[in-house]
Amino acid sequence: MPDTASNIPDKPSLDGIEARWMQRWEGDGTYDFDRTATRDEVFAIDTPPPTASGSLHIGHVFSYTHTDTIARFQRMRGKSVFYPIGWDDNGLATERRVQNVTGVRCDPSLPFDPGFVAPFNGDVPKDHRAIPVSRPNFVSLCHDVIHDDEQVFEQLVRRLGISIDWSLLYTTIGQRAQRTSQLAFLHNLARGEAYQQDAPTLYDIDDRTAVAQAEMVDREVPGAYHKLAFHRRADDGTAGDGDLLIDTTRPELLASCVAMVAHPNDDRYKALFGTTVRTPLFEVEVPVLAHHLADPDKGTGVAMICTFGDTTDVTWWRELDLPSRALIGFDGRMAADTPDWITTGGGRAAYEQIAGLAPKQAQRKIVEMLLETGEMLGEPRPITHPVKYYERGSRPLEIVATRQWYIRNGGRDEALRNELLHRGQDLRWHPDYMFNRYQNWVGGLNGDWLISRQRFFGVPIPLWYRLDGEGLPLYDDILIPDDGRLPVDPSTVCPAGFTEDQRGKPGGFMGDPDVMDTWATSSLTPHIAGGWVDDPDLFARVFPMDMRPQAHDIIRTWLFGSVVRSHHEHGCLPWTDAAISGWILDPDRKKMAKSVGNVVTPLPLLQEYGTDAVRYWAASGRPGADTAFDAGQMKIGRKLGTKLLNATKFVLGFGEPPDGAAPTAALDKALLARLAEVIDESTRALDGYDYARALERTEAFFWWFCDDYVELVKGRAYGTQGDDEAHSARAALRRALEIIVQLFAPFLPFVTEEVWSWWREGSVHSSGWPAAAPLASIGDVSLLDPVSEVLAAVRRAKTEAKLSQRATVDRLTIEGPAVTLAALEACRTDLAEAGGINEFVTSEAAALVTAVTLTPSTDSTAAH
RNA sequence: GGGCGCAUAGCUCAGUUGGUUAGAGCACCGCCCUUACAAGGCGGGUGUCGGGGGUUCGAGUCCCUCUGCGCCCACCA
């Protein structure tokens, strides 16, 4: 055992402890995963890989702290903790960052330029027009930028004191992640869980890619109803009695109109079903049809069906077997050539007016023309309505028919949907009501998971297609790489049995140009981190994992995607428990988000209050609860750390009790018995992922320990009542303090390690978790409340008399029930010393009543 | 339209299967340099537990209902 006195600093301080202990932990491998541990000895965590681009956010500190408290708890109780970290660096977020930082954009039609150098590195002028570069050049730039970003980001994350094993670091664009992602996809393909389909798809015209249902958001935006007249009589050119009137918010799609629709029971329109009407301006005959989705209360009760204005149009188009007259292309503009379904001279002339325009311009032009012909009635009536956007997008999604890859997720298959619902039900959710979001999402799926993206910096879809005699792709004639060749980039590698000069040639092949959605890779984080593709021994020790920590907003993406992949691949859940943390709200209770501009960066906070104090704030946030940013809580955390330093110094300062000394005094034994209750509660709370409760219980106990218990026994510990009594107090103080430090260790890793080092060998973080059982029956906790109550009464009397707490009490009379008096009697001498009480009289009564007679003099002789 | 969460002191929040007089910290006020800590300690005031109804010997807690706030989802013409 180290020499106690020499290890305790004269003036304990929190300053600089982070750097000191982080270095030590790194050197000692304190958080290294022991890969000889078997699955039941392992606690495996599927840590969220943050986007390394950009800066660290206070929300990272918040949720990563929550996970870390659980990791540290499990480690202390003897588990080998598998605690990896990764950077989610593939995908559109990185592409955008690279565009913003370097001033380029990707144009895959361009050839590779080996000598290309990015025009900027950071400060791109506002009026700069992005320079188009080839795909290989662009991807190479992406790698450069994320490499730099990740170096910076790692240093920031390390500053948080999270007990991750840095040797397990992965990236979602890394070779292992790409192999994992491609192999899982090929397995899905082989089992029929992945398929391609040419169908109307929600498409972002700015990013030029399809997006998945999970990445769409509704935004309330201004729009306007336009009342348009469709003509029932062939000779009618302007609005008249015979016209069929509709309301539309998207008059620019008029040229794509394929039919009109009303509810089958709508008496106003029953007679028209089966007839045709002629569209305004373009003079195209379209049928009037009946469908139950038509809402008689909306607009005029008749809608025009366009290919495609919204997802209802898609439904109608499919169910009513309508032709496709799509005009908005991948660039978001109206087709340049006048379509052949517009046949009249007037119609074709009208279309020429809008050819090549973006939707908004086209709308303006169409309205202008309609007003001229009198086919629009009245003014547009402004409304606000929900419109689908890509969650990162700035213009509404359009619907474009394209060939895409999908993974089955129950969106089109009731049986699979139910299986996945059951998986979600089997997962233990913390807090449990978060399951509702999963259920809600799975229940509301309306299609399979679209995983292909027409982007560049991602995991390529590892497939080629044979080309026919004219050089056109035979999408059903898929060429699949052997597992051993993964990861492959089909745009640079050629399929087995072909040579590179057959690329793009008739009878040759072409690579799939798309990459996979970033979630298609990150849904495999347990597989990537666990070495599914290249380390089956490791994978068997960690999978299925124990804990998936994440925020509630990505249940529909990351969590659900992971469940889908694991269900398909292994027929099980990827983890047993999902710990869902909330968001950080700013002081006005708005969500902190980069887009809102109210983000707090944690570094200054870590510097001002210390990592432990910031963690204290984070750990005070209830699981799943959105929590207000509160620097006040950090101050309290700082105070708590300081108190722990001082209390430890004081307790150790009494000196070490002799070997074999055990708590014998009733008060000391009661203390340990109460501590057993705290251990028990804290353990149960952490077992249930309720770190906040565990911290609160430990903290409340600690302050009581300092304020009452230490004050009561410090005289005795100094030896005022003799050696045996002193040894009992010292033994109890040390035992309690040791356990308190252990109970705090998951929350305040630095200060606990600091004080632990003053009298113990090794790290507190591998010192084991305290057991309640040996202490539980040591003493009688019921002693403690009466003693605290009397102590408070004495203090109150002194305060009310405006005396120092050192003032002497002449006489303390206590009336109370026999059990209470017995409790006080057991601690009589400690109470008398702590309160400076000369005479201490008790008598039996129904209720506890304390009377304090103070010595009038406040001079220094009042001290004992 | 469907679902979920929240509402307790001026502020941030605890309050476990219903159980004495509803708690903590911050803030505020007062006292105290006391042999760990003045960047500290001790003590104090503060509540229609969102409104209404019900179950119960007993409701902050359970049930119904209403209101407000937030979030998720939905076929949004």
Side-chain angles (χ1 to χ4, degrees), chain A residues 251-523:
Chain A
E252 69 273 22
L253 293 175
L254 185 54
S256 292
C257 180
V258 290
M260 313 300 285
V261 68
H263 194 273
N265 299 338
D266 194 330
D267 290 332
R268 295 172 294 178
Y269 304 111
K270 267 184 179 170
L272 292 178
F273 295 147
T275 68
T276 64
V277 293
R278 194 153 38 82
T279 63
L281 292 184
F282 302 110
E283 305 175 327
V284 175
E285 290 289 329
V286 294
V288 182
L289 304 172
H291 193 277
H292 66 274
L293 279 182
D295 183 350
D297 296 329
K298 228 167 241 171
T300 62
V302 193
M304 67 169 183
I305 303 174
C306 304
T307 52
F308 298 93
D310 62 29
T311 53
T312 315
D313 280 342
V314 178
T315 307
W316 281 326
W317 168 77
R318 191 184 300 126
E319 295 187 7
L320 298 172
D321 199 20
L322 297 166
S324 179
R325 291 177 182 164
L327 288 169
I328 295 183
F330 297 138
D331 57 357
R333 292 178 179 274
M334 308 298 297
D337 300 330
T338 303
D340 54 13
W341 61 82
I342 299 176
T343 52
T344 67
R348 295 186 71 84
Y351 188 81
E352 278 163 25
Q353 299 284 307
I354 59 167
L357 296 183
K360 269 202 170 163
Q361 301 165 312
Q363 183 181 92
R364 210 171 301 133
K365 191 74 204 171
I366 291 246
V367 167
E368 205 175 280
M369 291 191 284
L370 285 167
L371 285 172
E372 225 164 81
T373 61
E375 290 170 303
M376 192 177 112
L377 282 72
E379 290 292 306
R381 284 123 56 211
I383 52 159
T384 58
H385 62 154
V387 174
K388 285 203 185 305
Y389 281 71
Y390 173 46
E391 58 187 355
R392 301 169 185 274
S394 55
R395 284 201 284 176
L397 292 168
E398 295 294 345
I399 296 174
V400 177
T402 57
R403 184 194 59 88
Q404 303 286 344
W405 280 95
Y406 296 80
I407 290 180
R408 298 186 196 280
N409 68 356
R412 299 172 62 180
D413 175 351
E414 202 60 30
L416 177 58
R417 184 190 304 244
N418 284 331
E419 286 170 33
L420 290 168
L421 274 172
H422 282 298
R423 291 279 179 232
Q425 216 159 15
D426 291 341
L427 186 60
R428 289 194 294 258
W429 296 79
H430 309 281
D432 55 5
Y433 61 79
M434 288 294 176
F435 171 60
N436 291 314
R437 296 187 183 228
Y438 179 96
Q439 197 171 23
N440 218 328
W441 174 252
V442 178
L445 286 170
N446 53 31
D448 281 325
W449 178 8
L450 196 167
I451 59 154
S452 45
R453 295 289 180 276
Q454 291 69 58
R455 299 300 311 179
F456 318 106
F457 193 59
V459 179
I461 291 185
L463 299 173
W464 301 267
Y465 307 98
R466 204 183 286 273
L467 302 181
D468 66 12
E470 291 168 22
L472 294 173
L474 300 162
Y475 286 115
D476 291 331
D477 201 342
I478 300 169
L479 303 164
I480 299 170
D482 289 338
D483 291 356
R485 295 185 71 193
L486 303 181
V488 299
D489 180 351
S491 68
T492 57
V493 172
C494 69
F498 288 82
T499 54
E500 192 56 39
D501 57 9
Q502 291 175 277
R503 183 183 294 276
K505 302 280 165 55
F509 69 94
M510 65 170 272
D512 190 304
D514 291 351
V515 297
M516 285 189 252
D517 168 25
T518 189
W519 297 112
T521 298
S522 61
S523 60

Side-chain angles (χ1 to χ4, degrees), chain A residues 87 150-160 166:
Chain A
W87 310 133
E150 285 166 8
Q151 298 298 310
V152 173
F153 206 73
E154 178 172 333
Q155 291 315 308
L156 289 169
V157 174
R158 281 181 180 270
R159 187 75 172 72
L160 304 182
W166 284 93

Side-chain angles (χ1 to χ4, degrees), chain A residues 33-42 79-80 541-542:
Chain A
F33 174 62
D34 171 12
R35 63 167 300 161
T36 66
T38 56
R39 182 64 196 86
D40 59 315
E41 296 164 340
V42 166
K79 295 281 188 174
S80 180
R541 293 174 199 275
V542 300

Side-chain angles (χ1 to χ4, degrees), chain A residues 654-830:
Chain A
F654 291 118
E656 216 176 313
D659 280 349
T664 51
L667 181 63
D668 302 339
K669 292 194 289 189
L671 164 83
L672 295 177
R674 175 174 277 187
L675 186 49
E677 294 176 351
V678 176
I679 296 169
D680 198 48
E681 275 191 275
S682 179
T683 307
R684 258 183 297 147
L686 285 166
D687 257 327
Y689 295 80
D690 191 349
Y691 45 82
R693 186 182 184 80
L695 172 59
E696 185 200 48
R697 290 307 145 115
T698 301
E699 188 189 7
F701 175 81
F702 175 60
W703 285 107
W704 173 84
F705 171 80
C706 291
D707 294 345
D708 285 8
Y709 178 76
V710 172
E711 290 299 323
L712 282 164
V713 306
K714 68 182 184 187
R716 179 154 58 84
Y718 275 125
T720 56
Q721 298 173 41
D723 283 352
D724 288 350
E725 285 74 9
H727 294 158
S728 170
R730 291 181 199 175
L733 282 164
R734 285 200 171 216
R735 186 97 182 84
L737 184 72
E738 174 185 9
I739 292 169
I740 288 166
V741 172
Q742 288 175 318
L743 292 176
F744 271 134
F747 306 98
L748 312 172
F750 293 100
V751 69
T752 51
E753 189 75 318
E754 172 70 17
V755 300
W756 188 260
S757 74
W758 293 346
W759 91 105
R760 300 296 304 262
E761 299 281 6
S763 169
V764 67
H765 301 298
S766 37
S767 69
W769 187 250
L775 303 176
S777 54
I778 258 183
D780 176 8
V781 290
S782 69
L783 292 183
L784 300 173
D785 283 343
V787 173
S788 284
E789 208 170 315
V790 170
L791 189 61
V794 172
R795 286 168 169 166
R796 196 179 307 122
K798 292 178 183 178
T799 297
E800 278 166 8
K802 305 203 175 214
L803 293 177
S804 158
Q805 290 299 324
R806 297 176 68 190
T808 308
V809 173
D810 259 357
R811 183 183 165 87
L812 174 69
T813 50
I814 298 169
E815 296 174 16
V819 273
T820 308
L821 295 182
L824 296 171
E825 209 56 55
C827 313
R828 165 183 278 270
T829 318
D830 289 339

Side-chain angles (χ1 to χ4, degrees), chain A residues 198-216:
Chain A
D198 202 336
T201 305
L202 281 149
Y203 193 89
D204 187 291
I205 56 178
D206 288 316
D207 288 320
R208 304 266 182 111
T209 181
V211 303
Q213 185 186 356
E215 295 170 289
M216 287 185 245

